[in-house]
Amino acid sequence: MTAQTDHRTPDPLPPGRPGTTPVPDSVRSAAAWSWRLLLVGAAIAAGLWLVTQLKVIVVPIAVALLLTVLLTPVQRFYARHLRMSRGLASGAALISLLVVLAGLVTVAGQQIVGGFQDLRDQAVDGFEQFTDWLAEGPLGLDSTTISHWLDQAGSAVSENQDSIVSGALGAATTLGHVVAGALIALFCTFFFLLDGRAIWSWVVGLLPLRARDRVHQAGRRGIVTLAAYTRTQILVAAVDAVGIGVGAAFFVPGLAVPLGILVFVGSFIPIVGAIVTGSIAVLVVLVAQGWVQALVMLGIVLLVQQIEGHILQPFLMGHAVSLHPVAVLLVVAAGSFAAGIVGALFAVPLAAVLNTVVLYLHGHDKFPELGTEDRIVVRGSPQPPVVARAEADLQVAGVRRRRPRRERSAVEDSPVAGPEDAGAADDAPGGAR
């Protein structure tokens, strides 16, 4: 009897084992990650593009959030100790901020008007001394060459007059945007102070039901981080302003206050702001007093920046936002590259808030003392889905106890007792959730 040859094809290997496809598993995993990362990058790029198109609205709202976390303690003080209503306390807190800003601008303006004429005369004298040094110093330039250079500079200004005029018109347009943005920021700040929780409830209500509570708890922690950043940055900016302002008072007493205010405002941009404003202070002292005093002023600026960089930023700001100094530097650089001064200003608080929120959503709570008892009110109920379902079950259990045995079977067979209908009740308008 002749043996028959088995011509059946062998069974294919189970999927997922090596050798089933010509593409290795590592390459397929890399491809899967790649297209997902491309989609995420495209979504981020689209979001950044939309923000740049709406920057006249987005930037004032961001400023309003910073002002809100700054003025919330003031509003609570007015409401608790002065017995003001919530609306009146919100308006009083905003007016207090405007009064402080107006006072700073008034004092700085008076100081500038008083010291500008002396600074102008000193600048003219310094320029004349510089031209004399060019003529009599080691360069040996005669007055004819210097005059020729000055004439060329004047001719360049005349030839580029159209560009200068268009730049002035662009600056006027930018000033109009700044005024409009300031009005939007003040308007939003008042209503954030007055109805901030109601606005947040509306935002959370747009999310899916199961995500609302976690997003609310993450948002609470993000606001705490933003408040800590704002107050810490005010303290750091005040130290910079006082240090550089006191140093400038020894050389240019009439401009010490304006320079201090300039340093205070510029210090809200970490690292970059202090360097730029400190350079301006050194330049003013150079024009007013000379090289020796300018070098002394440079030493004062460097000392203040060293105190900020090695004491204030690591201990205060690092504790407030939990970001490494290297991360702060990279975030500021990326923000300035993407959106200029505005990006550098908001880069650190945005990164700090995102860090806190993302860590919480991944299970790491930076502020466990806040707890999770605070519940957001969304469409009339502060209860999360789990609590709503539990209450529905308790209600059904009470109905079972009160009704006779014959009716219990009908209740047990009723879909009201099931968790699916409890969830449907949550989604219904005017229901538990």
Side-chain angles (χ1 to χ4, degrees):
M1 188 174 183
T2 306
Q4 296 181 356
T5 306
D6 190 2
H7 297 286
R8 292 179 299 173
T9 57
D11 293 334
L13 293 174
R17 297 178 64 180
T20 57
T21 60
V23 181
D25 291 343
S26 58
V27 176
R28 286 191 286 118
S29 299
W33 275 104
S34 298
W35 71 260
R36 287 177 172 86
L37 291 176
L38 287 176
L39 287 179
V40 172
I44 294 175
L48 293 177
W49 177 83
L50 184 61
V51 168
T52 56
Q53 297 300 314
L54 300 176
K55 60 183 178 181
V56 179
I57 298 176
V58 174
V59 173
I61 292 177
V63 173
L65 285 175
L66 293 177
L67 294 179
T68 299
V69 298
L70 177 63
L71 295 178
T72 297
V74 181
Q75 181 216 32
R76 291 175 179 173
F77 175 83
Y78 288 153
R80 293 177 182 176
H81 298 280
L82 301 182
R83 305 296 182 183
M84 293 183 178
S85 63
R86 188 175 182 84
L88 186 58
S90 302
L94 190 59
I95 292 174
S96 300
L97 174 66
L98 295 177
V99 169
V100 172
L101 293 178
L104 291 176
V105 171
T106 301
V107 173
Q110 292 177 351
Q111 293 283 333
I112 291 174
V113 171
F116 182 77
Q117 185 63 35
D118 295 337
L119 183 63
R120 176 180 176 276
D121 296 338
Q122 292 170 350
V124 172
D125 294 338
F127 182 75
E128 292 178 352
Q129 293 177 3
F130 177 69
T131 55
D132 293 340
W133 177 82
L134 289 177
E136 300 175 359
L139 297 179
L141 299 177
D142 55 0
S143 58
T144 305
T145 304
I146 298 175
S147 299
H148 178 66
W149 286 355
L150 295 176
D151 292 339
Q152 285 183 343
S155 301
V157 172
S158 301
E159 293 174 357
N160 296 318
Q161 186 174 2
D162 295 337
S163 300
I164 296 174
V165 171
S166 61
L169 293 176
T173 303
T174 303
L175 180 61
H177 290 168
V178 169
V179 173
L183 295 177
I184 295 174
L186 294 176
F187 185 81
C188 292
T189 301
F190 174 76
F191 282 101
F192 287 167
L193 290 171
L194 180 63
D195 293 324
R197 192 172 180 87
I199 296 172
W200 175 244
S201 301
W202 178 83
V203 173
V204 173
L206 299 176
L207 301 175
L209 184 64
R210 297 181 182 275
R212 291 175 184 173
D213 187 62
R214 286 183 59 79
V215 171
H216 169 58
Q217 301 301 335
R220 291 176 61 208
R221 285 147 179 82
I223 289 296
V224 171
T225 300
L226 186 62
Y229 165 80
T230 304
R231 293 161 189 164
T232 306
Q233 188 59 48
I234 289 176
L235 177 60
V236 173
V239 172
D240 290 344
V242 171
I244 296 179
V246 170
F250 290 101
F251 306 107
V252 282
L255 296 176
V257 174
L259 288 175
I261 295 175
L262 180 64
V263 171
F264 178 80
V265 175
S267 296
F268 279 89
I269 303 177
I271 302 173
V272 179
I275 294 175
V276 173
T277 53
S279 301
I280 293 175
V282 173
L283 181 61
V284 169
V285 174
L286 173 63
V287 173
Q289 299 294 333
W291 288 99
V292 178
Q293 291 81 355
L295 291 176
V296 176
M297 187 65 203
L298 177 61
I300 294 174
V301 171
L302 293 177
L303 176 62
V304 171
Q305 292 181 357
Q306 290 298 315
I307 293 174
E308 175 193 350
H310 291 86
I311 298 177
L312 299 179
Q313 289 287 353
F315 290 97
L316 297 180
M317 188 60 70
H319 177 72
V321 301
S322 299
L323 292 177
H324 194 274
V326 175
V328 173
L329 177 62
L330 295 178
V331 165
V332 171
S336 60
F337 176 76
I341 297 178
V342 176
L345 177 63
F346 291 103
V348 175
L350 179 60
V353 172
L354 287 178
N355 181 49
T356 299
V357 170
V358 171
L359 287 178
Y360 178 81
L361 294 178
H362 283 274
H364 178 70
D365 189 0
K366 292 175 56 181
F367 303 100
E369 64 276 6
L370 293 179
T372 57
E373 291 77 15
D374 182 273
R375 302 297 182 184
I376 195 68
V377 177
V378 178
R379 297 184 179 91
S381 176
Q383 299 170 343
V386 176
V387 178
R389 290 186 176 88
E391 290 191 352
D393 294 339
L394 291 175
Q395 184 179 3
V396 171
V399 171
R400 290 176 181 173
R401 288 194 298 268
R402 290 194 300 268
R403 291 189 178 186
R405 180 174 297 180
R406 291 182 179 179
E407 296 181 3
R408 288 181 190 174
S409 60
V411 173
E412 291 173 357
D413 296 335
S414 173
V416 178
E420 295 81 7
D421 289 90
D426 293 342
D427 295 328
R433 189 67 169 161

Coordinates of all heavy atoms in Angstrom, one line a residue, residues 39 73 75 102 120 122 136 167 169-170 185 197 213 228-229 240 245 326 335 349 367 386 404 424 426:
L39 N -0.5 63.5 14.5 CA -1.8 64.0 14.7 C -1.8 65.0 15.9 O -2.4 66.1 15.8 CB -2.8 62.9 14.9 CG -3.2 62.1 13.7 CD1 -4.2 61.0 14.0 CD2 -3.8 63.0 12.6
P73 N -7.8 87.5 46.9 CA -7.7 87.8 48.3 C -8.2 89.2 48.7 O -8.8 89.4 49.8 CB -6.2 87.7 48.6 CG -5.7 86.8 47.5 CD -6.5 87.1 46.3
Q75 N -10.6 90.9 47.1 CA -12.1 90.8 47.1 C -12.7 90.1 48.3 O -13.6 90.6 48.9 CB -12.5 90.0 45.8 CG -14.0 89.9 45.6 CD -14.4 88.6 45.0 OE1 -13.8 87.6 45.3 NE2 -15.5 88.6 44.3
A102 N -2.3 103.7 38.7 CA -2.3 105.1 38.3 C -1.3 105.9 39.2 O -0.6 106.8 38.8 CB -3.7 105.7 38.5
R120 N 19.2 114.6 29.4 CA 19.4 115.1 28.0 C 20.7 115.9 27.9 O 21.5 115.7 27.0 CB 18.2 115.9 27.5 CG 18.4 116.5 26.1 CD 17.1 117.3 25.7 NE 17.4 117.9 24.4 CZ 18.0 119.1 24.2 NH1 18.5 119.7 25.3 NH2 18.1 119.6 23.0
Q122 N 23.2 115.9 30.0 CA 24.3 115.0 30.2 C 24.7 114.1 29.0 O 25.8 113.8 28.7 CB 24.1 114.1 31.4 CG 24.0 114.9 32.7 CD 23.5 114.1 33.9 OE1 23.0 113.0 33.7 NE2 23.6 114.6 35.1
E136 N 40.9 113.2 19.3 CA 42.1 113.4 20.0 C 42.7 112.0 20.5 O 43.8 112.0 21.0 CB 41.9 114.3 21.2 CG 41.5 115.7 20.7 CD 41.1 116.6 21.9 OE1 41.3 116.1 23.0 OE2 40.8 117.7 21.7
G167 N 6.2 102.8 10.1 CA 6.4 102.2 11.4 C 5.7 103.0 12.5 O 5.1 102.3 13.4
L169 N 2.8 104.6 12.1 CA 1.4 104.2 11.9 C 1.2 102.8 12.5 O 0.1 102.5 13.1 CB 1.0 104.2 10.4 CG 1.0 105.6 9.8 CD1 0.7 105.5 8.3 CD2 0.0 106.5 10.5
G170 N 2.1 101.9 12.2 CA 2.0 100.5 12.8 C 2.0 100.6 14.3 O 1.3 99.8 15.0
A185 N -9.5 93.0 29.1 CA -8.9 92.4 30.3 C -9.6 92.9 31.6 O -9.9 92.1 32.5 CB -7.4 92.7 30.4
R197 N -16.9 81.1 39.3 CA -17.3 79.7 39.5 C -18.4 79.3 38.5 O -18.4 78.2 38.0 CB -17.7 79.4 40.9 CG -17.9 77.9 41.2 CD -18.1 77.7 42.7 NE -18.3 76.3 43.0 CZ -17.3 75.5 43.2 NH1 -16.0 75.9 43.2 NH2 -17.5 74.2 43.5
D213 N -15.8 65.7 36.7 CA -15.3 65.9 38.0 C -13.8 65.9 38.0 O -13.2 66.7 38.7 CB -15.8 64.7 38.9 CG -15.4 64.9 40.3 OD1 -15.9 65.9 40.9 OD2 -14.7 64.0 40.9
A228 N 0.0 80.7 43.1 CA 1.4 80.6 43.7 C 2.4 81.3 42.8 O 3.3 82.0 43.3 CB 1.7 79.2 44.0
Y229 N 2.3 81.0 41.5 CA 3.3 81.6 40.6 C 3.2 83.2 40.6 O 4.2 83.9 40.7 CB 3.0 81.1 39.2 CG 3.7 82.0 38.1 CD1 5.1 81.8 37.9 CD2 3.0 83.0 37.4 CE1 5.7 82.6 36.9 CE2 3.7 83.8 36.5 CZ 5.0 83.6 36.2 OH 5.6 84.4 35.3
D240 N 14.0 92.6 42.9 CA 14.8 93.1 41.8 C 14.6 94.6 41.7 O 15.6 95.3 41.5 CB 14.4 92.4 40.4 CG 14.8 91.0 40.4 OD1 15.6 90.6 41.2 OD2 14.3 90.2 39.5
G245 N 16.8 99.7 41.9 CA 16.4 101.1 42.1 C 17.2 101.8 43.2 O 17.6 103.0 43.0
V326 N 16.3 74.8 34.4 CA 16.6 74.5 32.9 C 15.3 74.5 32.2 O 15.2 75.0 31.1 CB 17.3 73.2 32.8 CG1 17.4 72.8 31.3 CG2 18.7 73.2 33.4
G335 N 8.8 80.2 24.3 CA 7.7 81.1 24.2 C 8.0 82.4 23.5 O 7.2 83.0 22.7
P349 N 4.0 80.5 33.5 CA 2.7 80.1 34.2 C 1.9 79.1 33.4 O 1.3 78.2 34.0 CB 1.9 81.5 34.2 CG 2.6 82.4 33.3 CD 4.0 82.0 33.2
F367 N -1.4 68.7 45.3 CA -2.1 69.4 46.4 C -3.1 68.4 47.0 O -4.3 68.7 46.8 CB -2.7 70.7 45.9 CG -1.8 71.6 45.2 CD1 -1.7 71.7 43.8 CD2 -0.9 72.4 45.9 CE1 -0.8 72.5 43.2 CE2 -0.1 73.3 45.3 CZ 0.0 73.3 44.0
V386 N -21.1 58.9 40.0 CA -21.2 57.8 40.9 C -22.2 58.1 42.0 O -23.0 57.3 42.4 CB -19.7 57.6 41.5 CG1 -19.8 56.5 42.6 CG2 -18.8 57.2 40.4
P404 N -45.8 46.6 48.6 CA -46.1 45.2 48.9 C -45.2 44.3 48.0 O -44.6 44.7 47.1 CB -47.6 45.0 48.6 CG -48.1 46.4 48.6 CD -47.0 47.3 48.2
A424 N -28.8 57.3 32.1 CA -29.6 58.1 31.2 C -30.3 59.3 31.9 O -30.4 60.4 31.4 CB -30.7 57.2 30.6
D426 N -28.9 60.9 34.3 CA -27.8 61.9 34.4 C -27.8 62.7 33.2 O -27.5 63.9 33.3 CB -26.5 61.2 34.7 CG -26.4 60.5 36.0 OD1 -27.3 60.7 36.9 OD2 -25.6 59.6 36.1

